[in-house]
């Protein structure tokens, strides 16, 4: 796989691209395509989170699990869907919490690119998925890569806010140096768990309070239709 990834990330993660696990990812994706499998997101968007949030711009990491598996949804940014695509239930719940937390009107548009462009790394732990088969690429090696991303941020940056929603994301806290960074944990925004601690977490206002305290520009969480 020709790794078309933003240059600052390419430099930061350079050793990873020659590891056996990364070669296995490449071989796995080639096999999937040779077998006629449809893979989301499209190849040009696999590293979309990195394109919009260069390494030196990362302020916040919002960790998801794997891409949406229905047609037209996955765009390489965790929880985000392209304009014109109905926001999925978890994203609707994120918007509900934003409305309660900071008064943001609930948008019809599910494209979170404006967050990414301000320094919110919208990172899925697994970067690809087979159409209509959730978690189908979870054993492909992607988590070795995204764990390396989290470790790199932890080791080389200071004061990043990690938003860990749900048990899966919270298991990644062992990769983060909590003496250098901030971790905010809550239940996952899925309809199955949002009322068990996601609603009312106030992570958006709390994130901005942490950033402002460090002299860092806060995130404008608004999404325009």
């Amino acid at each position: 796989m020709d790794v078309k990834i933003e240059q600052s990330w390419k430099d930061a993660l350079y050793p990873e691209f020659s590891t056996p696990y990364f070669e296995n990812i490449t071989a796995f994706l080639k096999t999937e395509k040779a077998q006629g499998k449809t893979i989301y997101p499209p190849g040009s968007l696999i590293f979309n989170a990195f394109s919009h949030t260069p390494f030196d711009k990362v302020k916040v990491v919002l960790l998801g699990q794997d891409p949406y598996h229905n047609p037209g949804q996955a765009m390489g940014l965790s929880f985000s869907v392209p304009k014109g695509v109905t926001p999925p239930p978890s994203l609707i719940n994120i918007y509900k919490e934003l409305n309660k937390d900071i008064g943001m009107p609930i948008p019809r548009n599910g494209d979170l690119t404006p967050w990414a462009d301000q320094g919110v790394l919208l990172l899925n732990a697994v970067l690809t998925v087979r159409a209509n088969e959730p978690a189908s690429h979870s054993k492909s090696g992607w988590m070795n890569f995204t764990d390396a991303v989290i470790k790199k941020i932890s080791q080389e940056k200071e004061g990043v806010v990690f938003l860990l929603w749900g048990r899966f994301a919270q298991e990644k806290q062992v990769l983060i140096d909590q003496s250098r960074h901030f971790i905010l944990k809550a239940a996952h925004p899925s309809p199955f768990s949002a009322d068990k601690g996601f609603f009312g977490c106030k992570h958006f206002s709390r994130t901005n309070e942490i950033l402002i305290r460090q002299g860092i520009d806060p995130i404008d969480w608004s999404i325009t239709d």
Side-chain angles (χ1 to χ4, degrees):
M1 178 167 54
D2 179 18
V3 183
K4 294 184 173 67
I5 190 169
E6 190 274 334
Q7 190 61 48
S8 68
W9 283 107
K10 203 165 194 172
D11 294 341
L13 299 169
Y14 181 75
E16 303 303 317
F17 301 123
S18 56
T19 57
Y21 83 75
F22 203 86
E23 291 171 5
N24 289 342
I25 295 171
T26 302
F28 174 81
L29 293 177
K30 284 179 178 174
T31 299
E32 290 277 277
K33 288 187 176 180
Q35 293 175 350
K37 308 291 188 186
T38 299
I39 296 171
Y40 299 136
S44 61
L45 295 179
I46 290 173
F47 295 106
N48 199 27
F50 303 91
S51 299
H52 284 280
T53 314
F55 183 71
D56 60 333
K57 304 291 188 189
V58 176
K59 302 177 182 179
V60 180
V61 177
L62 175 49
L63 190 65
Q65 192 157 351
D66 69 337
Y68 297 121
H69 58 273
N70 292 325
Q73 290 184 318
M75 58 181 295
L77 304 176
S78 61
F79 296 102
S80 181
V81 293
K83 287 180 179 175
V85 175
T86 302
S90 291
L91 182 52
I92 290 171
N93 285 339
I94 290 170
Y95 284 167
K96 287 178 180 177
E97 176 59 23
L98 267 162
N99 174 258
K100 285 281 177 63
D101 185 9
I102 63 173
M104 186 189 93
I106 295 177
R108 294 184 296 273
N109 165 27
D111 185 353
L112 304 181
T113 302
W115 295 3
D117 289 338
Q118 296 177 76
V120 182
L121 182 65
L122 297 168
L123 180 68
N124 278 318
V126 178
L127 299 188
T128 57
V129 70
R130 197 180 301 141
N132 305 313
E133 295 184 43
S136 49
H137 287 187
S138 61
K139 304 261 194 297
S140 65
W142 277 127
M143 279 197 264
N144 297 87
F145 179 72
T146 53
D147 282 359
V149 171
I150 295 168
K151 287 179 191 171
K152 195 73 174 175
I153 294 169
S154 177
Q155 291 164 0
E156 297 200 8
K157 296 185 72 68
E158 297 264 358
V160 173
V161 182
F162 288 83
L163 302 179
L164 305 182
W165 297 341
R167 186 173 63 187
F168 174 84
Q170 288 163 20
E171 287 173 352
K172 302 294 184 180
Q173 68 183 334
V174 297
L175 306 173
I176 302 163
D177 183 345
Q178 297 184 50
S179 69
R180 296 161 61 94
H181 302 283
F182 302 88
I183 294 177
L184 298 181
K185 295 189 286 188
H188 194 277
S190 155
F192 300 107
S193 55
D195 60 354
K196 296 181 174 68
F198 178 75
F199 289 139
C201 71
K202 298 186 181 297
H203 277 188
F204 305 99
S205 60
R206 290 174 65 192
T207 293
N208 279 349
E209 286 165 8
I210 292 167
L211 295 175
I212 291 167
R213 207 161 61 225
Q214 299 180 88
I216 299 170
D217 288 340
I219 306 299
D220 176 0
W221 297 107
S222 59
I223 299 289
T224 54
D225 286 325

